[in-house]
Amino acid sequence: MTTDWSELERDALAEAFNVGVGSAAAVLSGMVGAEVMLSVPELQVVDKAAALASFGLAPADRVCAVVQPYGGAFESRALLMFTEVKSYDLVRAVVPDHVAEMRMGDMAQDALIEVGNLVLNACLTAVGELLGCALTTRVPSLVKGEAAEVLEQMEGSEMMLLHMLFSIKDKDIDGYVGFLLDQQAMGALKQAVGNFLSAHL
């Protein structure tokens, strides 16, 4: 069973994520020397087992995911996931051609981790600032494999999902952001959002 969120609570979190990805887009624009636009649609909270369907992925689809552990007020993992093909598109958009030709060699993997670290840190920072709580991030890693296997490795029973569209150099690249939380952490997050709304409404 997933945690029940009101529309007002979802809107507050979605606004924080919008601020975070706006900051990430500005930094990415500087990295690639071209305008980068990131869109964040409606927030979803689903059971981890239902996450693939929400992402529009089949269990056997090959994906690349940047996994960012974090702690502080809520302890779990955040991930930025692309299909394998889309991850190559993103690497080609943000690194020089001679590096992109290496496909997912070490330098290309580092570039993907850097993008993931940037986006996830921006989102976590914005949520922490909104709620007035400290969230500390740890060293990110890159995980590759079938979508079902990648999610199975992640701890947490519920996922907060965002479908994110990267528009870079005339390319639209779909990515998926997920925040995995157990019921205790999700409850703590919901309480923090409720406290924020009570103080500002």
Side-chain angles (χ1 to χ4, degrees):
M1 176 181 292
T2 58
T3 306
D4 186 29
W5 289 74
S6 71
E7 183 177 354
L8 195 59
E9 290 168 336
R10 289 173 189 266
D11 287 347
L13 273 178
E15 179 57 30
F17 285 123
N18 270 309
V19 171
V21 298
S23 299
V27 177
L28 281 173
S29 295
M31 285 174 57
V32 304
E35 185 178 21
V36 175
M37 299 186 66
L38 302 180
S39 64
V40 179
E42 183 180 355
L43 193 72
Q44 290 180 276
V45 179
V46 300
D47 185 280
K48 187 169 76 170
L52 287 183
S54 297
F55 282 150
L57 296 171
D61 284 346
R62 300 284 303 177
V63 299
C64 294
V66 179
V67 181
Q68 176 80 72
Y70 63 94
F74 324 108
E75 180 131 358
S76 193
R77 296 182 181 186
L79 62 89
L80 176 62
M81 187 162 64
F82 301 90
T83 63
E84 203 165 60
V85 171
K86 292 294 186 181
S87 71
Y88 297 149
D89 288 342
L90 181 60
V91 167
R92 292 187 188 100
V94 301
V95 300
D97 291 341
H98 71 279
V99 176
E101 289 171 1
M102 298 169 64
R103 294 175 66 80
M104 293 304 285
D106 289 343
M107 291 181 68
Q109 291 190 43
D110 288 347
L112 195 57
I113 290 173
E114 184 175 358
V115 171
N117 186 42
L118 175 64
V119 171
L120 295 173
N121 264 302
C123 288
L124 289 167
T125 297
V127 170
E129 289 179 351
L130 172 77
L131 302 180
C133 59
L135 294 174
T136 56
T137 58
R138 303 182 186 120
V139 178
S141 60
L142 184 67
V143 179
K144 297 185 289 184
E146 293 185 356
E149 294 176 350
V150 169
L151 284 186
E152 186 61 32
Q153 297 176 38
M154 307 297 153
E155 297 177 1
S157 56
E158 295 183 72
M159 287 191 73
M160 187 170 293
L161 305 178
L162 300 163
H163 178 196
M164 185 178 293
L165 183 66
F166 290 69
S167 295
I168 305 175
K169 294 181 178 178
D170 299 323
K171 288 187 177 181
D172 290 335
I173 303 169
D174 289 297
Y176 308 91
V177 176
F179 295 89
L180 286 134
L181 302 102
D182 59 25
Q183 289 189 334
Q184 181 178 354
M186 189 68 83
L189 174 59
K190 190 174 188 298
Q191 181 63 50
V193 174
N195 292 341
F196 167 79
L197 291 173
S198 296
H200 292 83
L201 293 180

